[in-house]
Amino acid sequence: MADERRVIRRGARADGRRHVPLSVALALLIVASLSAFLPVIDGAGWWLGCILVVIAVNGAAAVARVAGLSRLLGSFVGAVTGVFGITAVCGGGTALIGLVPTPATIGHFVELSQSAGESIYRQSIPAQADAGITFLLIFASLMASVTLDLMAAAAGTAAPVGLVALAIVVPPSILLDEVPLIPFAATAIAYLFVLWADRARERARGGLTRMLVVGAVAASVAGIGAAAVPGFYGTNPFIVSAASSTLASGVSPLLHLGEDLQRTGNSVQFRYTTSAEDPERFRLMTLESFDGTTWASAGERSGLFTVNQGTSLVRSDTSDSLRGTLISTTVKIAGLRDRVLPIPDGAIEIHGVEGTWLWDPADETMRSRSDSTVGLNYSVSSIRALPTAEQLRAAGIPDRGIFAAERELPDDIPATITRTLDKVIDGIGNPYERAYAIQSFLRDGDFAYSLSAPVSQGYDGDSLGVIATFLERRAGYCVHFAATMATMARMIDLPSRIVLGFLPGEDDADGTHTVRSDDLHAWPELYFEGVGWVPFEPTPGRGGTPSYAPEATSTADAAGPDDLDPRTVERSSAPDASETPDAEAAAPTQREEAEPNLAPAGITFLVLIALLSIPALVRRLRRIRRLRRARSRTDSVTDAWAEIADTARDLGWEHPIGDTPRMLSERIRSRVGGDGEVGDAIDRLVRHVERARFGPQRDTESLGADADARIIIAALESAASRFERVKGTIWPASVLSRGVQPTANLAR
């Protein structure tokens, strides 16, 4: 008896050692998939905490199995160790000896969970990893580690763990609206390692090939699925890192603004009161850099300073900016969630946002590294000072030594843009009059404000190619008008930039102004020597021309209060059909709501269906190969018998791997009955298998054994319930957790 126990323990330890590579692979898979959150969560301290807990869970489970415990007990030991780990990292001094959780620890964890929910609501991307969010991520890593260990090690089903990893790695892509290539590649490689470790543990024939095929398909599905997921534009719609190594790294902030405008609904962003009779626009951010493809912000630069209570907001341009009427504006954020703060033009002082907000004097914007606009109430003092037309006519172009970024253009400018600009400024020499001519040209009735035309006709964006197409089609929204004027200004050596922000919004009856998502807007600013940055408005129907414009230049300027409504703009400014061949397509008679794009969701669904169909496909191909060999080769009768054994497993009834063919045949008889054709097929096939496995020479009568195998398989399927047959087809146990199959006698 003692010897038998030693043999059992020795076998358990050997099985535990075979599981060690699998435990290592599972830990790497979770760590790699969690790395997708690094661009979403600021810092890497939380990730290190997750790594410690993952190592604790998988390491303890592996050690327990090597010590001789069962697979399930190993998972339990890993889970308990993980609880000790998360208590040590996040317990906050409430645990016994720093490891064992107490009732106070549970209460602390509940508080951290509530804090995490509030922090997620308030913050935008990248979020600051405070105590609540760190606990939430580490707890998620604990649950993922235990789940994957139970699936792959305890239950022996490793392939589906890829779906869990996919569920971890995809959400950051939705939040970022881009696919992080390095985390996806690391996750795919780790998943291949899991499959290899699982097949090595089982010593299954052909495991490497199946591992590569399934891993490659899963990695492809992960990338396609994340790329096809519709974007998320509620947290930080404008700022996109141009240096990130992603599939979407070239997406322009202006294109994000266009997508926000095209969404259905018109949600309230903030409300404000002001002492100004004619309210100002609100700035969010400024785009100075243009490489011919993407307009981008210069990001944080020198000269930023933290805003404190009542901080005076120093401005880089002070020539005439501090002369004018003092305006007081009080803002109450409603639905806006961002890390850039809407600020009226000409701001000189702010109250109510002290602490984490940084003021940029160069472009008069305010941003935060860690906080968001949610719930803010603040007041701004500003001075409105627009130059006169006479001042602008007298102003010159600044020296070439300054504003290099605001003048930069690629060499290969499309001929359409060049020809159009030459025609617009023909005979005009004054810089301001040239700029004014460009604005007048774009605000002319030949151009239509349309949210739908650029999308439906495939030229949405702000690149040089898009601008050229826009000038031909003559229909677009603020992104196209602003990018076109800013580009043309640089072509005549005027520094230019694009401002993203909000129009003044609606004036409510109680004197409050309401700004909604449809008030999102983009407009260009041009720099004149001795005057500074001057805003222009080339978009027809989206606000009037600035006060320095000597006269109205289009019917849109005279349209009255309704010209701020894009639904009326597209009707009033549509070009005449006789003048524009594509007029009907370019400017519809009414605003078309952007229809949801179901193609990405459909592609993702089909790809996931294809992934789930892989086990059934592998199972079908295996049956065809086995029965074909059994039909044509006398030494492959054991393939036919292995197919029968796998069919029984797929239909939900287990049989010991050590069963002889005769023992298994008796089990089959008890299941399907042993009379008639089925009984004869069982007898013949068992006889041939026994001769192939144990006989001294080849059994030539076994040729065509596939016919008997088909009879037995049909009987097994007939005896099974419909649920068992469907489950066996979609989720075949013989593929997902393969056992050792009998082979022919190779010793003879």
Side-chain angles (χ1 to χ4, degrees), residues 562-647:
D562 287 340
D563 68 353
L564 291 180
D565 187 348
R567 289 170 293 186
T568 61
V569 170
E570 289 199 11
R571 288 195 295 268
S572 63
S573 59
D576 183 76
S578 62
E579 299 176 359
T580 308
D582 295 330
E584 182 177 355
T589 58
Q590 61 182 5
R591 176 179 179 178
E592 299 173 6
E593 295 291 353
E595 296 182 359
N597 184 6
L598 300 181
I603 293 173
T604 304
F605 176 76
L606 292 176
V607 172
L608 290 177
I609 292 297
L611 176 63
L612 295 175
S613 301
I614 290 176
L617 178 62
V618 171
R619 182 69 183 89
R620 183 63 181 173
L621 293 176
R622 182 187 296 170
R623 173 175 290 184
I624 293 173
R625 185 184 72 249
R626 283 171 169 172
L627 296 184
R628 182 181 294 140
R629 293 180 62 186
R631 181 174 65 250
S632 58
R633 296 175 56 179
T634 58
D635 60 345
S636 297
V637 64
T638 52
D639 285 326
W641 191 252
E643 179 59 31
I644 293 173
D646 278 355
T647 300

Side-chain angles (χ1 to χ4, degrees), residues 139-215:
F139 181 76
S141 68
L142 168 62
M143 297 303 296
S145 298
V146 175
T147 300
L148 265 60
D149 186 76
L150 284 170
M151 292 172 61
T157 307
V161 302
L163 296 177
V164 179
L166 187 64
I168 296 174
V169 79
V170 164
S173 302
I174 301 175
L175 295 174
L176 294 170
D177 189 37
E178 56 190 31
V179 179
L181 293 182
I182 294 178
F184 264 77
T187 302
I189 293 172
Y191 182 54
L192 292 176
F193 186 23
V194 169
L195 295 178
W196 172 84
D198 182 56
R199 296 307 179 190
R201 174 179 60 85
E202 293 185 354
R203 289 181 169 84
R205 186 172 52 190
L208 179 61
T209 301
R210 283 191 300 276
M211 175 268 290
L212 293 175
V213 171
V214 176

Side-chain angles (χ1 to χ4, degrees), residues 80-111:
V80 172
T81 306
V83 171
F84 290 159
I86 195 173
T87 303
V89 175
C90 304
T94 62
L96 293 176
I97 63 173
L99 292 175
V100 182
T102 64
T105 306
I106 303 301
H108 179 62
F109 286 167
V110 172
E111 292 177 358

Side-chain angles (χ1 to χ4, degrees), residues 441-448 473-475 573-576 579-580:
F441 167 71
L442 293 172
R443 288 188 67 90
D444 189 87
D446 286 344
F447 283 86
R473 304 293 176 85
R474 302 205 171 192
S573 59
D576 183 76
E579 299 176 359
T580 308

